[in-house]
Amino acid sequence: MYDYLIVGAGLYGAIFAHEAEKKGKSCLIIEKRNHIGGNIYSALEEGINVHKYGAHIFHTNDRKVWSYISEFAEFNRYTNSPVANYHGEIYNLPFNMNTFSKMWGVKTPEEAKAKIEEQKMTALAELAGVSADDASGKNGPEAYAEAKKKIDAFEPKNLEEQAISLIGTDIYEKLINGYTGKQWGRPCTELPSFIIKRLPVRFIYDNNYFNALFQGIPVGGYTAMVEKIIGDIPVKLGVDYLEEMKKAKADGVEHPETLGLAKKVVYTGPIDAFFDYQLGALQYRSVRFESETLNIDNYQGNAVVNYTDAETPFTRIIEHKHFEFAQRYNEDGTPMDAAADQADPKTIIYREYSAEWKPGDEPYYPVNDDANTALYEKYKDLAAGVPNVIFGGRLGEYKYYDMDAVIAAVLKKAEEELN
Ligand code: UDP
């Protein structure tokens, strides 16, 4: 009999198990896939650490989280600075003075702000109940100032309004609208504004995508990091928990959710699947990768290039080696020397396609719109009825968590649970 049965060997499950063992509790981790790590799983291919379920760039402002995770990996100095390709026009991300100067030829923050204000005033006037002439300044500076006050106070109701209010219409049309529509499979008018608030807007020449004090990629890959977190805790791969729970129910096992193996369960799979979708299915976005290995040294000159137009069917291309400054590794993990690298150059790219999740696909992103959020709340009520199961992580809590937020959440939960 274990103290905890941990369902899912991703970051949440691994850290919970680690913390529980530290407190003298026994744990068994079971995992449906044939590897640990969940969606941060990486594998060495052609000497390159490939992020098999999409790019993961660790970043945080939380010193506690940073010092915790640094026990399990050394992080390199990778700084995410993606590039956007809009029909062949190249722009820097996130939205900063490099983007603005390329878009409009402006040189100073003042000029960039004026451009954004002009576009915002025109686009939002009607929504904010302001006349076009007041908003354009035609009716004089006083009317303009009144109009500006109203437009600044206007509460954006969706992602489109939020984006225009932050950054104006040109950037919205070229760098946001198409990309977001592809990623979420919904128009920006039907998406919550918080999604875009993840992205910084800066009036300095700074292409660092994250406002984070700490950032990097674990040297040796994410899988090695999760291995270290799990340590000697037993892991059973290829076990489908939900199937096992059904069997346990059929066999009349008391508390079938524990499979008769443990006192408590930490479940990190989709919360709606746990309850057999009895209230209906939550929506997720899934991602499909088209992988290509090329016999060249450098394909796109950057780890991440976003294709922000609506016509290109994929959302972005990831060139994995650039997460580690093009360093390749030997099978034993030692760095490949330059001569061997150049004698047989390789790079691996992933074209990333976004798709609506359907049963059998991997869920990646919860769709936190009103309908799904309301349905999740109902599942949460059901979860309260099984107090011996802790629901955690991106899927268990139906939350668009970044890795650092997962770590903060599991450490908090572990503290409440284990103290
Ligand atoms: N986004 C965009 N254009 C871009 C990159 C991002 O409009 O070139 C928007 C899009 O709505 C996306 C959100 O910003 O869903 C968050 O992007 P992020 O890169 O944080 O998403 P993730 O890396 O988690 O997929």
Side-chain angles (χ1 to χ4, degrees):
M1 198 69 172
Y2 293 94
D3 291 308
Y4 292 97
L5 173 68
I6 315 270
V7 181
L11 204 47
Y12 194 101
I15 292 179
F16 189 94
H18 181 94
E19 291 303 298
E21 290 267 329
K22 232 165 54 182
K23 291 267 148 69
K25 306 287 183 191
S26 60
C27 298
L28 171 68
I29 303 175
I30 59 172
E31 165 59 54
K32 186 160 103 176
R33 294 171 179 168
N34 61 5
H35 60 75
I36 60 164
N39 279 4
I40 67 174
Y41 173 66
S42 63
L44 197 65
E45 293 173 3
E46 304 290 0
I48 299 160
N49 280 312
V50 176
H51 298 202
K52 298 296 290 182
Y53 299 90
H56 283 79
I57 300 140
F58 192 85
H59 57 98
T60 190
N61 276 312
D62 188 330
R63 279 174 198 282
K64 191 177 153 206
V65 164
W66 180 247
S67 80
Y68 183 85
I69 201 66
S70 297
E71 276 180 46
F72 306 103
E74 186 196 327
F75 284 79
N76 71 13
R77 62 155 190 88
Y78 179 81
T79 301
N80 194 28
S81 41
V83 160
N85 180 326
Y86 175 79
H87 290 306
E89 292 171 28
I90 297 293
Y91 295 96
N92 285 114
L93 294 171
F95 312 125
N96 75 91
M97 284 305 296
N98 290 307
T99 328
F100 308 143
S101 70
K102 181 93 185 254
M103 184 78 63
W104 300 313
V106 296
K107 294 177 190 66
T108 64
E110 201 185 338
E111 288 168 350
K113 284 181 183 165
K115 203 80 191 165
I116 292 170
E117 180 172 310
E118 181 194 319
Q119 298 192 350
K120 175 180 163 179
M121 293 290 286
T122 309
L124 298 182
E126 203 183 317
L127 284 167
V130 168
S131 87
D133 287 349
D134 284 357
S136 70
K138 250 193 199 159
N139 293 337
E142 263 172 48
Y144 181 84
E146 263 315 297
K148 181 167 157 30
K149 234 193 249 166
K150 278 197 187 150
I151 288 171
D152 284 346
F154 171 70
E155 281 270 348
K157 287 178 299 302
N158 56 51
L159 197 152
E160 176 172 295
E161 292 172 11
Q162 178 71 58
I164 291 173
S165 142
L166 276 176
I167 203 75
T169 40
D170 285 346
I171 289 183
Y172 172 67
E173 289 305 340
K174 287 191 170 180
L175 302 182
I176 297 174
N177 194 7
Y179 184 90
T180 304
K182 286 190 289 186
Q183 177 168 4
W184 296 98
R186 291 159 178 72
C188 291
T189 46
E190 288 171 23
L191 285 165
S193 50
F194 81 86
I195 291 178
I196 200 74
K197 286 194 196 147
R198 288 166 62 87
L199 296 188
V201 177
R202 294 202 192 101
F203 294 93
I204 52 174
Y205 291 90
D206 179 2
N207 297 328
N208 181 353
Y209 197 64
F210 300 118
N211 281 323
L213 269 176
F214 309 105
Q215 176 170 190
I217 304 281
V219 177
Y222 282 98
T223 304
M225 179 181 95
V226 178
E227 258 164 24
K228 215 166 158 190
I229 298 171
I230 291 177
D232 296 331
I233 300 165
V235 181
K236 284 193 184 160
L237 298 176
V239 180
D240 185 333
Y241 168 72
L242 297 173
E243 285 301 316
E244 295 300 317
M245 182 160 64
K246 270 185 203 149
K247 279 189 219 155
K249 261 182 204 159
D251 294 346
V253 172
E254 204 187 343
H255 292 302
E257 65 281 359
T258 67
L259 310 183
L261 292 173
K263 292 178 201 145
K264 285 191 92 169
V265 177
V266 175
Y267 174 80
T268 67
I271 187 168
D272 54 344
F274 182 93
F275 293 105
D276 206 14
Y277 306 102
Q278 59 179 269
L279 305 174
L282 288 162
Q283 287 179 303
Y284 300 88
R285 292 298 288 173
S286 190
V287 183
R288 180 171 65 79
F289 302 103
E290 197 178 270
S291 158
E292 197 176 343
T293 303
L294 302 164
N295 298 321
I296 58 171
D297 162 51
N298 188 355
Y299 173 73
Q300 62 183 12
N302 206 33
V304 184
V305 177
N306 291 355
Y307 285 76
T308 55
D309 62 88
E311 289 72 28
T312 305
F314 44 85
T315 51
R316 53 190 169 192
I317 299 182
I318 305 295
E319 186 172 10
H320 297 268
K321 70 187 330 188
H322 294 306
F323 289 122
E324 301 189 71
F325 312 104
Q327 179 63 57
R328 289 163 71 197
Y329 296 89
N330 301 308
E331 279 304 320
D332 65 2
T334 55
M336 191 181 284
D337 63 54
D341 179 24
Q342 282 155 21
D344 184 20
K346 298 275 181 209
T347 192
I348 297 178
I349 60 168
Y350 271 25
R351 290 188 189 81
E352 191 169 322
Y353 296 82
S354 183
E356 195 68 26
W357 174 87
K358 46 184 184 7
D361 295 345
E362 293 294 347
Y364 280 77
Y365 298 94
V367 178
N368 293 106
D369 61 10
D370 293 344
N372 284 293
T373 305
L375 182 56
Y376 168 66
E377 287 302 324
K378 290 190 193 149
Y379 274 115
K380 226 172 118 182
D381 291 342
L382 284 186
V386 266
N388 61 340
V389 180
I390 294 168
F391 293 82
R394 206 183 247 218
L395 303 175
E397 295 175 64
Y398 199 67
K399 226 183 196 165
Y400 190 179
Y401 268 141
D402 286 333
M403 289 179 281
D404 64 331
V406 168
I407 297 170
V410 63
L411 289 178
K412 183 163 173 267
K413 179 56 82 180
E415 204 172 297
E416 286 165 17
E417 173 70 16
L418 300 163
N419 281 341

